[in-house]
Amino acid sequence: MSQQPQTQKWQMIAVLALPPLFWAGNFIVARAARDLVPPLSLVWGRWLIALIVLAPFAARHVRRDWQSYWRYPWLVLGTSVTSVIAFNTLIYWGLHYTQATNGMLLNSTIPVLVMLIGALVFRQRLRLWQAAGLALSLVGVAVVIMGGDPQRLAQLAFNKGDLLIFAAMVAWAFYTLWLTRLPAEISRVGLLAVQIVIGLVVLTPFWLWDLLLGHQPVLVPQAAFAVLFVGIVPSLGAFLLYMQAVKLAGSGRASQAIHLIPLYGVILSTLFLGESLHLYHLAGFALILGGIMLAARSPKPAQPMVQGAK
């Protein structure tokens, strides 16, 4: 009997710690394979593999919820475009121009972007502490994007990759807000499969056009590994483990695990990519995390981030 609580404890630690590790691996592998697999090919291959693996588990949920999808067509379409298409394409494109470390630091801005967009677009109330935390986090974003050099602001000389990845985070914030408007009774496993199908239908003509333009993958084992990894580990493994984390630990504690991504990322990018950690990385992350913690002091904190298609 005494072993059961201990087993549950380690199970909870695993489901909280592994999803951000898998998502950090997505950045590392995409950055490492940037010269082997073009962004559109990586996104298209990723979701095709994910759909093949997910389909047997999602089929019954899709059949059950089919009529529900038609009740919310714009929300289903919007969540598909922002997560499967925009988020991933912008990240993989951005990683051609910036370090994986920068990308994972910017990933931490999602909670404050959810608050900002929720207030500006969806008329959600923004309280004083949330506004102060939002401002502090955005200063941290500026530090990362400027690379610690204030002169870049005056010259508008920002890193293209950082801006692309920040745009991806904006897309994910919209995805989060739209996803929370879909009824909880709709299975997220079936919904993910539908989102992937929609994403692939929209992506396919752009991917084919990209191939015709000469942006073709290099047919080597490393490229195949990259596509398989991002198609299985961050797309499905992290998602399924995250759902279990929400079940065992609650959505609040599970969503806070997102802040492990930069920690994992710094270690992995140093080991596998030879990237260096700079003072502005630490300063930017401290400001972003400080802003999130400040916003959390509000009596009614913002809607926790919903994971799904990273």
Side-chain angles (χ1 to χ4, degrees):
M1 291 293 292
S2 61
Q3 290 183 349
Q4 186 173 0
Q6 191 72 10
T7 301
Q8 292 176 344
K9 175 184 175 181
W10 284 108
Q11 184 181 6
M12 184 177 297
I13 291 174
V15 298
L16 287 171
L18 288 177
L21 176 62
F22 292 167
W23 283 320
N26 182 41
F27 284 86
I28 300 299
V29 171
R31 174 68 176 172
R34 65 189 182 278
D35 294 327
L36 300 176
V37 189
L40 282 177
S41 291
L42 188 57
V43 174
W44 192 89
R46 166 184 179 163
W47 291 118
L48 178 64
I49 291 170
L51 181 61
I52 292 171
V53 176
L54 183 64
F57 305 97
R60 63 185 180 89
H61 299 290
V62 173
R63 287 194 296 268
R64 188 197 69 185
D65 295 335
W66 188 251
Q67 291 184 343
S68 298
Y69 304 142
W70 287 105
R71 292 194 199 104
Y72 306 93
W74 294 112
L75 284 176
V76 173
L77 179 62
T79 54
S80 303
V81 171
T82 50
S83 62
V84 174
I85 301 173
F87 180 79
N88 294 280
T89 303
L90 288 168
I91 281 183
Y92 294 156
W93 188 12
L95 287 172
H96 277 247
Y97 305 101
T98 193
Q99 294 184 31
T101 301
N102 285 34
M104 284 176 279
L105 288 174
L106 293 173
N107 194 90
S108 296
T109 64
I110 289 175
V112 293
L113 288 173
V114 169
M115 285 191 293
L116 177 61
I117 295 171
L120 294 178
V121 179
F122 298 97
R123 300 180 181 273
Q124 294 181 359
R125 184 178 177 184
L126 192 65
R127 292 173 174 79
L128 178 62
W129 286 115
Q130 290 176 318
L134 174 63
L136 186 62
S137 290
L138 291 178
V139 171
V141 172
V143 169
V144 174
I145 291 178
M146 290 187 298
D149 183 2
Q151 292 185 352
R152 291 188 181 183
L153 179 61
Q155 301 169 356
L156 296 179
F158 303 122
N159 184 301
K160 178 181 178 181
D162 291 337
L163 295 178
L164 287 168
I165 291 176
F166 187 66
M169 303 311 149
V170 173
W172 190 265
F174 273 103
Y175 163 75
T176 298
L177 289 162
W178 282 332
L179 189 62
T180 58
R181 284 159 172 74
L182 285 166
E185 306 83 58
I186 297 178
S187 165
R188 273 18 185 190
V189 175
L191 179 62
L192 178 60
V194 172
Q195 289 169 336
I196 294 173
V197 170
I198 294 173
L200 286 172
V201 169
V202 176
L203 274 170
T204 296
F206 295 99
W207 170 63
L208 292 174
W209 180 250
D210 198 48
L211 292 178
L212 290 174
L213 292 177
H215 302 148
Q216 300 177 355
V218 180
L219 300 180
V220 294
Q222 294 91 326
F225 169 80
V227 177
L228 284 171
F229 179 89
V230 300
I232 296 174
V233 178
S235 300
L236 298 179
F239 173 69
L240 295 173
L241 283 171
Y242 185 80
M243 286 197 301
Q244 186 68 10
V246 172
K247 178 181 177 180
L248 294 176
S251 60
R253 290 176 65 185
S255 65
Q256 290 303 311
I258 190 71
H259 302 306
L260 288 173
I261 291 179
L263 176 62
Y264 288 138
V266 167
I267 297 171
L268 294 175
S269 61
T270 302
L271 290 176
F272 296 106
L273 301 178
E275 294 183 0
S276 300
L277 183 66
H278 299 284
L279 183 60
Y280 75 83
H281 287 133
L282 299 175
F285 180 61
L287 289 167
I288 292 169
L289 185 58
I292 293 169
M293 295 174 65
L294 184 61
R297 292 183 58 185
S298 175
K300 292 183 180 180
Q303 178 72 31
M305 185 184 65
V306 181
Q307 304 287 354
K310 285 197 172 189

